């Protein structure tokens, strides 16, 4: 309700989402029940499922932001499980992979103590999951998210906790396009946020073309409260300020925290 949708396949999969402003081919195409979205430009916020409050301005901005699995709660630890013989099987999200679509099956590993499943660690949140399980028309059946513990023990059960890429801002072509389910990040500039997948970063500020997390940082490493300012400015951990980048002349090649990146200066926040 109360939405403005202009362009081919704009908010095409919307079910209950409201207060949407989507302008451009495929803008917010995969939105299901995310509210208060602004997507301006081809493929902006395209793979959004349940996320709310984000603003994407520019082609491909916030392209792969979606809903995935943030954590898994063990509801019954069972007994008799051993490492190496126990795996976590997570159901597939709706649909399948396609150009410009953020889709993938989440992965996780068990933590076992004395034969009991004491925890489950999510290693990849997947993409395209939804809390709107059910049938919404011919060919539009959204599966429930299930977690199955398979191994040599018995009785263990678990349930997934979903997270969406809420309240992100991306301004510029490809701004924040690799963010998956991270929240409250700001990306300003061409491919700001970088070109490598970032699963669940939070409260980062990335200003400048290609600014963001350094490519050496694993996608599953959560980064919080870091700031990169300048073309190709990079941070390598949480609570870090990186100022400068490869566009600065006569930059200082200073090593901070044991890591030399393209940033001219790095400061602990």
């Amino acid at each position: 309700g109360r939405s403005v949708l202009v362009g081919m396949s704009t908010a095409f999969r919307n079910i209950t989402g409201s207060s949407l402003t989507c302008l451009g081919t495929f803008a917010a195409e995969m939105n299901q029940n995310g509210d208060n979205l602004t997507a301006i430009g081809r493929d902006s916020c395209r793979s959004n499922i349940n996320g709310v409050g984000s603003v994407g301005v520019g082609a491909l901005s916030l392209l792969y932001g979606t809903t995935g699995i943030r954590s898994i709660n063990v509801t019954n630890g069972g007994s008799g499980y051993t490492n190496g013989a126990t795996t976590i099987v997570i159901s597939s999200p709706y649909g399948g992979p396609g150009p410009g679509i953020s889709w993938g099956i989440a992965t996780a590993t068990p933590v076992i103590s004395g034969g009991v499943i004491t925890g489950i660690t999510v290693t990849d949140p997947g993409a395209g999951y939804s809390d709107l399980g059910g049938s919404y028309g011919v060919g539009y059946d959204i599966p429930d998210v299930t977690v199955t513990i398979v191994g040599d023990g018995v009785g263990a059960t678990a349930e997934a906790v979903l997270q969406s890429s809420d309240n992100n801002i991306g301004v510029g072509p490809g701004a924040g396009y690799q963010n998956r389910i991270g929240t409250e990040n700001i990306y300003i500039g061409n491919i700001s946020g970088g070109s490598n997948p970032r699963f669940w970063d939070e409260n980062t500020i990335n200003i400048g073309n290609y600014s963001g997390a350094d490519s050496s940082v694993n996608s599953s490493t959560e980064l919080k409260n870091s700031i990169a300012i300048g073309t190709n400015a990079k941070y390598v951990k949480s609570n870090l300020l990186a100022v400068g980048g490869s566009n600065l002349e006569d930059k200082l090649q200073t090593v901070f925290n044991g890591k030399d990146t393209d940033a001219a200066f790095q400061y602990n926040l």
Side-chain angles (χ1 to χ4, degrees):
R2 297 182 181 179
S3 296
V4 177
L5 309 176
V6 180
M8 184 179 70
S9 295
T10 299
F12 179 63
R13 294 293 183 181
N14 180 58
I15 297 173
T16 61
S18 64
S19 300
L20 312 176
T21 302
C22 304
L23 307 175
T25 301
F26 302 121
E29 179 189 19
M30 301 301 289
N31 176 64
Q32 290 181 2
N33 70 330
D35 298 331
N36 303 308
L37 299 175
T38 300
I40 300 176
R42 179 178 68 85
D43 291 309
S44 59
C45 301
R46 180 172 181 178
S47 297
N48 174 70
I49 298 285
N50 301 327
V52 301
S54 290
V55 177
V57 180
L60 311 180
S61 57
L62 304 180
L63 174 66
Y64 291 134
T66 186
T67 299
I69 295 176
R70 185 63 183 92
S71 61
I72 297 176
N73 294 330
V74 176
T75 53
N76 188 326
S79 62
Y81 292 94
T82 59
N83 289 308
T86 304
T87 58
I88 307 300
V89 178
I90 301 171
S91 59
S92 299
Y94 166 79
I101 299 298
S102 188
W103 186 94
I105 301 172
T107 60
T109 57
V111 178
I112 302 172
S113 178
V116 177
I117 307 292
T118 58
I120 296 176
T121 302
V122 177
T123 53
D124 187 321
Y129 288 95
S130 176
D131 56 11
L132 287 180
S135 180
Y136 297 92
V138 177
Y140 198 12
D141 297 323
I142 301 174
D144 292 325
V145 182
T146 61
V147 178
T148 305
I149 300 170
V150 178
D152 49 357
V154 295
T157 57
E159 58 185 15
V161 177
L162 301 184
Q163 177 173 302
S164 297
S165 55
D166 295 338
N167 302 313
N168 296 291
I169 297 174
V171 179
Y177 87 105
Q178 284 285 17
N179 175 50
R180 293 298 191 271
I181 63 171
T183 62
E184 300 184 355
N185 300 289
I186 297 174
Y187 309 95
I188 300 177
N190 182 40
I191 311 184
S192 48
S195 56
N196 295 310
R198 300 301 311 157
F199 289 164
W200 32 54
D201 293 348
E202 182 179 326
N203 293 319
T204 68
I205 299 175
N206 311 272
I207 301 175
N209 297 344
Y210 308 102
S211 59
D214 189 77
S215 61
S216 65
V217 182
N218 192 283
S219 298
S220 62
T221 299
E222 182 179 20
L223 298 178
K224 293 183 176 183
N225 309 316
S226 287
I227 302 171
I229 301 175
T231 296
N232 216 33
K234 304 293 185 182
Y235 45 78
V236 296
K237 67 176 187 176
S238 294
N239 304 306
L240 199 68
L241 168 63
V243 180
S246 59
N247 65 320
L248 293 185
E249 296 181 1
D250 302 321
K251 66 179 181 179
L252 297 177
Q253 295 294 337
T254 306
V255 178
F256 291 85
N257 304 303
K259 178 65 182 180
D260 184 14
T261 74
D262 286 329
F265 304 97
Q266 293 187 1
Y267 306 92
N268 287 310
L269 296 176

